[in-house]
Amino acid sequence: MADLEYKVIVGLEIHVHLRTATKMFCGCELAYGQQANSRVCPVCLGLPGSLPVMNKKAFEYSVLAGLALNCEIAKFTKWDRKGYYYPDLPKNYQISQYDLPFSEHGYIEIPVGGGQVKKIRITRAHLEEDAGKNTHTSGNYSQVDLNRAGTPLLEIVTEPDMNSGTEVRAMAVELQRIVRYLGISVGDMQKGHMRFEPNINLVITKDGKEYKTPIAEIKNLNSFRALEGSVNYEVVRQLDEFERTGKVMVEGNKTTRGWDDAGRQTVLQREKEEASDYRYFPDPDLLPVVMTDEWLLEITERLCELPLKKQMRYVADYNLSEYDASVLTGERANAEFFERVVEAGAEPKRVCNLLTQMGLKVANARGCGLAELGLKENDVAKLAKMIEGGDINASAGDRIMQEMMTSEKGPVEIARELNLIQKSDAGELEVFVEAVLAENEKAVEDVRSGGKKSKAARGFLLGQVMQKTKGRANPKVVSEILNKKLN
Amino acid sequence: MKKIDAEQVRKVAKLSRLDLSDAEVEEFSGQLSAIFKYVEKMNEVDTDGVEPLAHCLGVNNCFRDDVVRQSLGVEKTLANAPERDDEFFKVPKILDDNSGA
Amino acid sequence: MQNKLLDMGIKELRDEIAAGRVKSVSAVEAVFESIENREALIGAYISTFKERAIAKARETDSKIAAGEKVGALAGVPIALKDNICSDFGATTCGSRILENFCSPYNAAVVEKLSAADAVIIGKTNLDEFAMGSSTENSGLKQTFNPWDTSRVPGGSSGGSAAAVAADMCFGALGSDTGGSIRQPASFCGVVGLKPTYGRVSRYGLVAYGSSLDQIGPITKTVTDAALMLSVIAGHDERDSTSVDESQAAVDDYFGGIDKAVDGLKIGMVTKFNEGADEGIRAAIEAAIEVYRKMGAEIVEIEMPYFDYSIAAYYMIATAEASSNLARYDGVHYGHRTAEPKDYIEVYSKSREEGFGKEVKRRIMLGTYALSSGYYDAYYLKALKVRNLIRGDFVKAFEKCDCIMMPVSPTTAFKVGEKTDDPLKMYLSDIYTIGVNLAGIPGVSVPCGFDEGGLPVGLQILGSAFGEAKLLRIARMYESQCQWGKKKATVI
């Protein structure tokens, strides 16, 4: 392998289930986990004489996504039939968009560490309907459930701009954040709301010549871990295959491989005998869509600040760490809660600590967001100010916040009730310090001697003062007094 | 245009999921060839710069609101199913994993 | 001598029933008696619903007796072409693949007829999936022309036309994709109207050529056609291609029907008449003469792209059909082959067994036209030619109120006469097909008989959504010559 250099080239095809109340072309309820074939009507069953009618909300959600992905939104877009036969596709054609998708030529920025971003180009995004589900049974037959047939599906295709499993994962995570921020999809990979299919190959430079390995398309990925793992696996597999066979990419030798999660490997699926001829043509049952300037403006107004931009703003303006900023911006509602607290006049870093530590700890355990914890933004701001001002210490802050979740009382009241107000009055504390110094002459000597035991002795004295004040002394003030008295 | 031969007929029959007999392939080869020969009459027409007319009405933007309508229910959905397995449609085992063409 | 009730048209019967002078039950019983006597010869119906019809008739009679409000077609027996979905009985489309298919829903037009209190008698025979011009392509049975039972009734709505002509119903609905209402109406000596594309909802009409299909009435008189149109026309939110009434309001087709059109200008292409048989030419010329006497002016128009209609149609309609019929696969409904060895055979054998030859032929044509490498030359080219054909009509209507021409080059031909050469059959659609490509309305009105005593139809075309004027023009002729008064031989 020493004389080999390679570059990993990955493009992604993503399918996103839109979270509308009904299907793309009929009024059947979109509901997961229901009894098979209980959400089916003549339209999504493909009965003779049935006709599709477009779901306006699904279309608008898609345009919102296109805008968030910096795409050009087409002024004129249409629907096409993609013909193929399969039991989960009752009409034996899928209503999709072929040559005039509603959006194209966009990009998404993904974080690549160290505050850096990378631009991944979006080729196009279009809208289509999902198929039903085939389940293979233990017997020699398969079962077909059409509940999912007709679900609005946003298909996004990227350029092959990613060069590692890490980048692919970052892209997927970012896209999930975006669709959740926009409120257009639940985006849960495990539940099938988002499907990612990477197309991977390598560009190998050997002995000054360049070779491209055949593209492999990977399906059946149910987690980000699987997504990243599959890319990494493919890199190794394709390198190995190239070394053994020297096989290069030619037209028509793209393969489809399924991810085997248990075995952590990709497996070749049955190779298609010939390229599918989908015989696309404009669907005569559906009218084209004309995007007027007014309509586009209306939809654009529903855009929010996107997650990565928000994340970077927190780092730049609030001096938060990249990690903290990414945690806070994980979900839009949480980020907005944080922003409201900061707006109520508190120091952002302090608020961040409160919310990311105690706040999210409880929220995650409960499976809810910060806004559902029973906390009032003003109270949290006040609490942050109390810590900042030294009225209470950090661990007291955590305790009080937890209390605030179930109490109507504000932080000051709770602090008093729980006796958590720090003693910060220098005069008051000096008395305690004097007492401790008097009781611990040996330690005082150790500190003054400046030797090896000095630091530990100082810490011991501080601890004694904390004990004497039942933990209520402001450690900073005590420290200052100690310094004065001991030096 | 060349006559549509038996091989082409078989290819199109496969795309159409029609299990034609040899006699039918032969018959269709002749008939389809004649029909396409006639259809090529359209080449006499100069269509440069002419827009294809897919929809007669010249209207766009027909939508519906995202409001739930009642579904048929499992029984009505499966009422015409040639074979069923409880609330599922039943077909002979599908061997390949993903969408066929 | 048949029951005198059967001599009435829809309007007359409806008025008599509404006034309580005639009972709907009597009309229904008369129709079923007629069916009993004639169906063996004609074969118009695939299924009939006597009990259901009598029950509905009885209910309507009671309502009327109690002075309750009833619909515009209250008590009138109507037949439906069997490619229109009904939630009672089967909807077969004349095909073995749907022979036992029971639709769980009613087509929009069926809902409208029911709301108008019409009584549905039964489902009529058709060319399989509406593909054909003679009803000989039905996979289930043969229908014969009431004027000469050795001849075809025309197609694809042959059953509906024959049923009306043989007084086996008072009116019927058919569907028209390339002439399937107008041509059988002309072969059977009755009135057939294809409305403007988008005027009547296609929800529940089993699709053949989606951008061409329209449901329309087949009746004994123009007045009846206007009455039926007023019941079935209108926007349907379940059909994206049905026109919004803010764009094209539903006119009072029936109310204004007897008002003649002043200063009528009739567009004609002289050479069109020359393409038809002698008997047809003579009848058409005589009809034009009637219009002249009423003060109409004949305007010579040009339709340079007309000759390409058949070529364009048989690419567009078959392309759409190949896709629309892909769903018939034996998986979710319809015929499934007995012993498939794998799931692929479920598809290919079920379809091979369930579809007739013409349907298979058109599916093959359409699949080929859409396939990779041929799409541009065939399908896309056809869509462009379609635009030009429509342009011909738009230009013509700038100079005239309507266009007149024959419906068909021949009158009803003998059963089996054209079945060995599909192209020959396609070419006989020359007068009707362009109308569907352009989306404009067209009506066939009886205008006489040929030397053999077979009915001839005059075709009148109107501009898009101009049915009100079109029907008045047709009525002008009908008010002068009631060819409908002559009864079919079988009666």
Side-chain angles (χ1 to χ4, degrees), chain C residues 409-428:
Chain C
T410 69
T411 52
F413 43 88
K414 289 236 186 256
V415 170
E417 192 182 315
K418 294 195 179 181
T419 46
D420 58 348
D421 186 350
L423 185 55
K424 195 160 130 197
M425 189 75 94
Y426 299 166
L427 292 172
S428 67

Side-chain angles (χ1 to χ4, degrees), chain A residues 88-336:
Chain A
D88 64 4
L89 194 67
K91 300 187 294 296
N92 287 321
Y93 63 82
Q94 178 194 34
I95 300 176
S96 178
Q97 299 192 292
Y98 180 53
D99 57 327
L100 290 177
F102 79 87
S103 72
E104 35 180 24
H105 308 316
Y107 65 88
I108 178 178
E109 283 178 336
I110 60 171
V112 287
Q116 299 300 308
V117 298
K118 178 171 174 171
K119 211 179 206 179
I120 307 294
R121 292 168 300 163
I122 305 287
T123 318
R124 55 181 274 160
H126 73 256
L127 197 48
E128 58 188 27
E129 52 172 357
D130 204 354
K133 231 184 244 176
N134 292 321
T135 324
H136 310 304
T137 65
S138 51
N140 64 347
Y141 63 95
S142 298
Q143 296 170 326
V144 183
D145 170 18
L146 297 179
N147 280 353
R148 194 182 67 181
T151 301
L153 210 54
L154 173 63
E155 178 176 320
I156 302 168
V157 181
T158 77
E159 294 289 334
D161 289 348
M162 287 156 279
N163 305 113
S164 69
T166 320
E167 281 183 8
V168 174
R169 186 200 178 113
M171 163 74 182
V173 169
E174 197 55 39
L175 196 56
Q176 185 190 58
R177 255 203 325 188
I178 291 176
V179 300
R180 283 177 171 173
Y181 259 60
L182 296 175
I184 64 173
S185 176
V186 175
D188 190 333
M189 256 185 105
Q190 282 75 6
K191 293 222 179 85
H193 300 140
M194 278 184 100
R195 306 203 279 266
F196 293 91
E197 282 162 17
N199 281 256
I200 310 153
N201 81 327
L202 306 176
V203 175
I204 296 173
T205 315
K206 183 176 176 176
D207 300 329
K209 278 178 84 176
E210 209 177 75
Y211 304 89
K212 292 186 181 158
T213 57
I215 298 176
E217 178 187 32
I218 317 297
K219 291 185 183 276
N220 198 34
L221 297 160
N222 289 329
S223 64
F224 293 131
R225 186 167 164 264
L227 177 60
E228 188 174 2
S230 72
V231 174
N232 294 335
Y233 178 86
E234 269 301 296
V235 171
V236 175
R237 189 194 67 77
Q238 289 193 17
L239 265 175
D240 180 65
E241 188 178 80
F242 178 75
E243 296 238 288
R244 280 185 299 108
T245 70
K247 205 163 172 202
V248 291
M249 176 169 89
V250 295
E251 182 158 345
N253 75 348
K254 172 170 159 177
T255 55
T256 305
R257 304 180 70 89
W259 175 250
D260 165 18
D261 211 37
R264 306 287 299 160
Q265 60 177 352
T266 65
V267 178
L268 183 67
Q269 292 184 342
R270 192 178 66 106
E271 252 168 272
K272 297 195 180 126
E273 319 137 8
E274 75 253 339
S276 320
D277 183 355
Y278 293 119
R279 304 179 302 287
Y280 285 100
F281 76 104
D283 194 325
D285 292 330
L286 288 166
L287 301 179
V289 182
V290 166
M291 177 58 66
T292 61
D293 292 335
E294 299 84 47
W295 192 18
L296 188 57
L297 190 60
E298 198 191 298
I299 300 174
T300 310
E301 274 162 14
R302 288 186 237 158
L303 275 176
C304 60
E305 183 182 30
L306 292 179
L308 187 60
K309 186 145 178 260
K310 200 187 274 292
Q311 178 179 318
M312 288 166 73
R313 181 166 66 81
Y314 288 3
V315 170
D317 295 354
Y318 298 151
N319 221 6
L320 300 188
S321 72
E322 213 181 313
Y323 176 74
D324 280 344
S326 76
V327 169
L328 272 177
T329 57
E331 274 170 51
R332 180 177 169 184
N334 287 343
E336 288 176 352

Side-chain angles (χ1 to χ4, degrees), chain B:
Chain B
M1 194 210 75
K2 284 192 204 66
K3 185 176 142 106
I4 299 177
D5 60 21
E7 192 198 322
Q8 281 176 294
V9 172
R10 286 211 165 83
K11 214 171 130 198
V12 176
K14 187 168 178 205
L15 273 179
S16 314
R17 292 297 185 269
L18 291 171
D19 193 14
L20 299 180
S21 67
D22 290 339
E24 281 177 313
V25 170
E26 192 56 42
E27 192 186 342
F28 282 159
S29 171
Q31 290 170 346
L32 295 183
S33 298
I35 294 166
F36 273 102
K37 189 150 188 285
Y38 175 78
V39 162
E40 283 177 357
K41 203 173 148 70
M42 288 195 294
N43 291 336
E44 294 167 19
V45 182
D46 180 9
T47 51
D48 264 343
V50 179
E51 283 300 303
L53 186 68
H55 293 96
C56 258
L57 281 174
V59 176
N60 302 304
N61 295 17
C62 181
F63 292 107
R64 75 184 160 80
D65 289 333
D66 190 28
V67 172
V68 176
R69 297 269 154 88
Q70 210 182 22
S71 299
L72 281 176
V74 179
E75 282 318 303
K76 275 196 177 164
T77 299
L78 290 166
N80 288 289
E83 280 198 56
R84 67 184 276 189
D85 181 31
D86 284 338
E87 65 268 28
F88 292 93
F89 294 95
K90 187 174 169 184
V91 286
K93 193 166 193 125
I94 301 160
L95 288 170
D96 48 306
D97 207 57
N98 61 321
S99 44

Side-chain angles (χ1 to χ4, degrees), chain C residues 426-481:
Chain C
Y426 299 166
L427 292 172
S428 67
D429 292 332
I430 183 65
Y431 294 119
T432 50
I433 252 176
V435 173
N436 301 81
L437 290 172
I440 58 171
V443 66
S444 172
V445 179
C447 70
F449 299 87
D450 71 0
E451 323 77 24
L454 295 170
V456 178
L458 168 69
Q459 194 182 188
I460 311 174
L461 312 178
S463 56
F465 300 106
E467 282 87 336
K469 186 159 81 168
L470 173 64
L471 288 166
R472 283 159 58 201
I473 293 170
R475 178 73 191 130
M476 280 167 75
Y477 174 74
E478 185 180 75
S479 64
Q480 301 294 312
C481 318

